[in-house]
């Protein structure tokens, strides 16, 4: 269960205690003593202010403190002065009220802060303080003097709450009009690619709203999010200004150049396997000898709250490091070209993958695209591209006939969308618990495992290229990219268990190793694994090439291939790029059902279409027509929350 942290269209977030999730503001306020901690930009200050306003609106006595302004000694007079700055009235009379609450933001590691909390315990019945997770774990996690304080952690948004936040924001900017579910999907997918599924920045309201607001500022008449590099640039410049850097271009550019050179030096040290701590002071001295720089620049850059850097010279957040390293590589020097080529060889390493994503933003050089295309074409080129015709799908026949043909939901579309996003959260949690071992893959040379990682990541990079650069790449080049991505993605389908004979051989081998299992059961399990592997790779390919602006190019490539596999990819892209179901999607489905008599193809088309209908509102006449094509009963949907 989740807590909406603010009302009137303001941002939401998710918080939880170690034992249970907190579902409402009032639930949080049942805690007598609580210390709420979270990462940078997680919403700690917004939460504390919201709690204070909530109590004021409820006519409950509350005092709000910013602990950055804490004096050397916190006594009764300190609280009296704080009260007089916030309210008009008699402090002594106010003290006599029951259930007084102290909301204290920005708890630091200063020793006198604990003295303040001890003094506050004599005045306030409830104390809620917020601090950074770094401060909490360094100073207060094991402090016996705070034993009565329950620790509560601010978590990133779930996918369901992120969608709700996006809807609220867009509803405000569109005059409260109802937005099509397909449009929300497209914007949500672009936001997910900006934060690169939690790899660049955490899914906090600050970043989601900054991304939306940045694009509103750049494109006030539309939400066609097509690039994300300038969004991170805007965040970086905003941080510099808040840290006290002058708004003049000369000062901003000096900071950007310093950060770029620093990122390159950090990367070079890591490349040389230098385990020693980075000599930041030495770097500053060397830089100052080569470049003019404002005297206060380093102090501003390492500002504890808004600076880009920590005191030891590392970047405060990952995206800043990748942004500036990519900016350096995009300059096109011989060393940079060699580095990019080396990264293209090992895109399965997260650092290379993420650096290339940002480098693509900083340069219009198509050489990087060609490097990645070449490696995708030559990886696993000994494996046939899957066609998913009857010869290949015989292994799925039993599973295909067992698919539930009628999976239309009677619940509301919002309820189904929430359920789908909860499934995404569970999948993300599993991935974080058991991430792919790309480092191991990098040690295996040109093994099949390395090839799988390389093609998978290359398709993701090229998908970002299509999203960010479709406007300045020719249609012919876009079709070439989509073609290479499609062939690479469908090769992955045939990497393992490509036919029934292979399944039987492996089943016999496993039976010999495990005589307690029957061959038939082992084969059923292997067939299901092969089916799941196939659909996972098809869906991943669809996600990578699904850029609504280039749907026609994708369809041209898939139609020219003229295989069941490409027909599925093209139809899935058509579905995912649709704002709602129309006669175009219905006619495409009708034509595919007429062309393919394979139970696998028909079953997958049916399930995928019904899944879209469960999570998107469309005209009833179109839905009824589609249900007739699928030979299922049309189900009237529940309407919930006016959505």
């Amino acid at each position: 269960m989740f807590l909406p942290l603010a009302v009137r269209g303001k941002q939401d977030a998710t918080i939880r205690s170690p034992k249970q999730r907190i579902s409402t503001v009032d639930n949080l306020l049942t805690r007598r003593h609580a210390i709420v901690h979270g990462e940078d930009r997680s919403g700690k200050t917004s939460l504390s202010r919201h709690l204070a306003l909530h109590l004021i609106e409820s006519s409950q006595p509350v005092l709000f403190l910013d602990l950055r302004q804490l004096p050397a000694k916190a006594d009764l007079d300190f609280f009296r002065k704080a009260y007089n700055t916030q309210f008009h009235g008699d402090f002594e009379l106010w003290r006599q009220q029951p259930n007084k609450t102290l909301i204290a933001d920005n708890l630091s590691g200063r020793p006198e802060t604990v003295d303040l909390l001890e003094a506050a315990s004599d005045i306030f019945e409830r104390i809620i303080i917020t601090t950074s997770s770094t401060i909490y774990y360094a100073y207060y996690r094991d402090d016996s003097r705070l034993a009565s304080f329950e620790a509560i952690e601010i978590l990133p948004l779930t996918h369901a709450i992120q969608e709700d936040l996006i809807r609220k924001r867009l509803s405000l900017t569109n005059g409260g009009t109802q937005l099509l579910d397909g449009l929300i999907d497209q914007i949500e997918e672009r936001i997910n690619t900006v934060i690169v599924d939690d790899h660049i920045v955490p899914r906090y309201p600050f970043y989601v709203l900054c991304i939306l607001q940045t694009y509103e500022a750049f494109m006030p008449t539309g939400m066609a999010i097509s690039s994300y590099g300038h969004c991170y640039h805007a965040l970086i410049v905003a941080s510099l200004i808040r840290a006290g850097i002058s708004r003049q271009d000369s000062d901003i550019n000096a900071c950007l150049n310093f950060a770029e050179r620093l990122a390159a030096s950090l990367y070079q040290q890591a490349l040389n396997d230098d385990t020693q701590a980075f000599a930041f002071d030495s770097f500053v001295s060397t830089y100052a000898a080569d470049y003019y720089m404002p005297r206060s620049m380093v102090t501003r850059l390492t500002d504890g709250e808004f600076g880009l850097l920590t005191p030891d010279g590392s970047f405060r957040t990952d995206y800043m490091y990748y942004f500036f390293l990519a900016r350096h590589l995009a300059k096109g020097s011989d060393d940079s070209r060699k580095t990019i080529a080396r990264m293209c060889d090992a895109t399965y390493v997260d650092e290379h993958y993420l650096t290339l994503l940002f480098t693509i933003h900083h340069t219009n050089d198509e050489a990087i695209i060609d490097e990645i295309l070449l490696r995708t074409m030559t990886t696993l080129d000994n494996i046939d591209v899957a066609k998913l015709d009857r010869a290949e799908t015989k292994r799925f026949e039993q599973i295909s006939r067992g698919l539930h043909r009628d999976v239309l939901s009677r619940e509301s579309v919002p309820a189904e969308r929430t359920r789908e996003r909860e499934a995404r959260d569970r999948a993300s949690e599993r991935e974080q618990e058991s991430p792919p071992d790309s480092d191991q893959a990098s040690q295996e040379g040109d093994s099949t495992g390395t090839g799988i990682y390389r093609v998978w990541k290359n398709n993701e990079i090229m998908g970002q290229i299509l999203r960010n650069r479709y406007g300045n790449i020719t249609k012919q080049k876009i079709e070439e990219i989509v073609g290479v991505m499609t062939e690479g993605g469908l090769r992955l389908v045939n990497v393992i268990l490509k036919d029934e004979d292979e399944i039987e051989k492996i089943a016999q081998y496993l039976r010999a190793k495990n005589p307690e299992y029957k061959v038939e059961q082992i084969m059923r399990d292997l067939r299901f694994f092969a089916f799941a592997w196939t659909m996972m790779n098809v869906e991943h390919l669809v996600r990578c090439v699904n850029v609504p602006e280039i749907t026609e190019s994708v369809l041209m490539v898939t139609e020219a291939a003229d295989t069941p596999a490409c027909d599925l990819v093209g139809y899935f892209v058509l579905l995912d790029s649709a704002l709602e179901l129309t006669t175009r999607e219905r006619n495409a489905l009708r034509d595919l059902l007429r062309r393919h008599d394979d139970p696998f193809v028909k079953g997958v088309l049916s399930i995928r279409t019904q899944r879209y209908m469960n999570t998107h509102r469309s005209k009833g006449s179109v839905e009824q027509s589609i249900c007739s094509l699928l030979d299922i009963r049309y189900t009237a949907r529940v309407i919930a929350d006016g959505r």
Side-chain angles (χ1 to χ4, degrees), residues 432-444:
Q432 291 172 5
E433 291 171 357
S434 302
D437 192 354
S438 58
D439 290 336
Q440 178 64 29
S442 66
Q443 298 171 10
E444 295 176 357

Side-chain angles (χ1 to χ4, degrees), residues 387-589:
K387 298 179 180 178
L388 295 182
D389 54 16
R390 288 299 294 268
E392 291 184 356
T393 60
K394 282 183 180 179
R395 52 189 165 149
F396 307 141
E397 188 162 346
Q398 185 177 2
I399 297 173
S400 301
R401 296 189 185 282
L403 290 174
H404 295 290
R405 290 295 184 264
D406 186 351
V407 294
L408 280 183
S409 172
R410 295 183 179 274
E411 294 193 41
S412 67
V413 168
E416 286 295 328
R417 291 175 70 85
T418 297
R419 186 175 291 113
E420 181 183 64
R421 279 150 183 76
E422 288 173 350
R424 292 183 195 174
D425 292 329
R426 291 191 295 271
S428 296
E429 289 174 0
R430 288 194 297 269
E431 181 180 350
Q432 291 172 5
E433 291 171 357
S434 302
D437 192 354
S438 58
D439 290 336
Q440 178 64 29
S442 66
Q443 298 171 10
E444 295 176 357
D446 291 327
S447 69
T448 300
T450 301
I452 292 173
Y453 281 122
R454 181 182 292 124
V455 173
W456 184 277
K457 288 296 187 181
N458 284 2
N459 274 359
E460 291 186 351
I461 294 172
M462 289 188 285
Q464 293 279 16
I465 292 172
L466 295 176
R467 288 180 178 85
N468 300 342
R469 301 272 303 280
Y470 69 87
N472 59 5
I473 300 178
T474 65
K475 292 181 179 179
Q476 182 179 2
K477 189 67 174 182
I478 288 174
E479 290 169 17
E480 178 189 355
I481 294 172
V482 172
V484 172
M485 293 172 69
T486 301
E487 289 192 358
L490 293 177
R491 276 199 184 95
L492 295 182
V493 171
N494 278 340
V495 167
I496 56 175
L497 303 176
K498 62 182 179 180
D499 56 41
E500 188 71 7
D501 289 341
E502 186 176 1
I503 289 175
E504 185 172 358
K505 290 177 182 177
I506 294 177
Q508 293 290 353
Y509 172 79
L510 293 175
R511 173 67 172 78
K513 294 286 186 180
N514 304 275
E516 66 273 20
Y517 295 105
K518 294 182 179 180
V519 172
E520 293 77 9
Q521 178 61 50
I522 296 175
M523 290 186 68
R524 281 196 296 270
D525 292 343
L526 289 174
R527 290 190 191 103
F528 181 80
F529 174 74
F531 175 82
W533 174 261
T534 297
M535 297 312 304
M536 179 184 73
N537 283 288
V538 170
E539 291 287 2
H540 181 260
L541 171 60
V542 169
R543 183 185 176 193
C544 291
V545 300
N546 178 30
V547 181
E549 294 83 359
I550 66 163
T551 297
E552 300 308 320
S553 291
V554 175
L555 293 178
M556 287 184 65
V557 171
T558 56
E559 289 170 4
D562 195 25
T563 66
C566 285
D567 284 346
L568 289 176
V569 171
Y571 177 69
F572 289 0
V573 168
L574 188 63
L575 270 186
D576 290 349
S577 63
L579 301 182
E580 61 180 341
L581 289 175
T582 65
T583 54
R584 183 184 188 186
E585 290 74 38
R586 181 200 62 193
N587 293 341
L589 175 63

Side-chain angles (χ1 to χ4, degrees), residues 1 18 40 54 57 61 69 104 115 135 155 181 208 259 295 302 306 325 379 396 399 401 404 489 548 553 560:
M1 301 181 71
D40 188 39
H54 175 80
E57 291 174 353
Q69 304 169 1
D115 296 335
I135 294 294
L155 298 177
D181 297 313
V208 174
R295 292 183 178 180
T302 55
F306 300 114
L325 176 58
T379 300
F396 307 141
I399 297 173
R401 296 189 185 282
H404 295 290
S553 291

Side-chain angles (χ1 to χ4, degrees), residues 248-261:
Q248 296 181 16
D249 287 345
S250 57
D251 288 350
I252 295 292
N253 289 335
C255 292
L256 298 181
N257 187 68
F258 180 90
E260 178 187 321
R261 300 289 172 173

Side-chain angles (χ1 to χ4, degrees), residues 23-37:
S23 56
T24 64
V25 171
D26 291 331
N27 192 338
L28 175 58
L29 291 172
T30 61
R31 274 69 180 172
R32 182 170 177 269
H33 290 158
I35 179 168
V36 180
H37 65 92

